[in-house]
Amino acid sequence: MAQSTEIKTQSWIAVVDDNEPVCRSLSLLLRSKGYSVTTFPNGLAFLGREQGPVFNCILIDFKMSHHDGFSLLQELRAGGNDTPAIMITGWQSPDLLRQALQAGFEDLIYKPMLDDTLLAAIDRVLLV
């Protein structure tokens, strides 16, 4: 258990979602669990960010203006960024999990998400 707390206090998580209430609630949840969090309103804001923390995990919304989650991840990978990413979405599709995993996402979490489900996915990504 102490190792998990150590990982969290050293981990930066980026949340990329065009829904401000989702960003706010995820930020509050993750900070309450010891993570450091930065939110971005879309993929362009994330890609254009100034130098900042090195993220250990990126939560990326599937449907956003300017970039969808797949496009953003593709640009990140093309630029050499191999930070683990988890797709979050409110869109239900039978093939979306398969597509997300094939695209390079570590996991897919559906909104509305259960806190424990999201935290378990993040913990799995950070321990890899």
Side-chain angles (χ1 to χ4, degrees):
M1 185 72 98
Q3 181 181 8
S4 180
T5 302
E6 180 180 327
I7 290 169
K8 290 178 188 177
T9 58
Q10 297 174 3
S11 296
W12 275 91
I13 298 178
V15 178
V16 185
D17 196 312
D18 59 355
N19 185 322
E20 176 59 31
V22 169
C23 283
R24 222 178 10 253
S25 65
L26 286 176
S27 181
L28 288 170
L29 169 67
L30 296 170
R31 287 183 179 157
S32 76
K33 299 300 181 183
Y35 295 107
S36 298
V37 181
T38 303
T39 62
F40 300 89
N42 56 53
L44 293 176
F46 183 79
L47 292 170
R49 73 191 184 281
E50 295 295 321
Q51 206 57 345
V54 173
F55 294 105
N56 304 96
C57 180
I58 308 168
L59 302 179
I60 303 175
D61 187 25
F62 171 48
K63 292 282 188 181
M64 295 182 285
S65 56
H66 305 295
H67 276 84
D68 67 15
F70 289 114
S71 298
L72 177 55
L73 186 66
Q74 183 177 22
E75 283 193 50
L76 291 171
R77 296 303 186 246
N81 185 327
D82 62 354
T83 303
I86 297 171
M87 179 180 278
I88 55 176
T89 186
W91 293 82
Q92 299 289 329
S93 168
D95 292 331
L96 191 56
L97 175 60
R98 179 187 51 76
Q99 293 169 349
L101 294 175
Q102 286 178 342
F105 283 95
E106 302 295 325
D107 207 342
L108 170 69
I109 307 294
Y110 288 102
K111 300 176 195 173
M113 59 194 84
L114 298 173
D115 295 354
D116 291 343
T117 302
L118 177 64
L119 294 170
I122 292 170
D123 282 346
R124 279 192 305 275
V125 166
L126 294 179
L127 291 174
V128 171

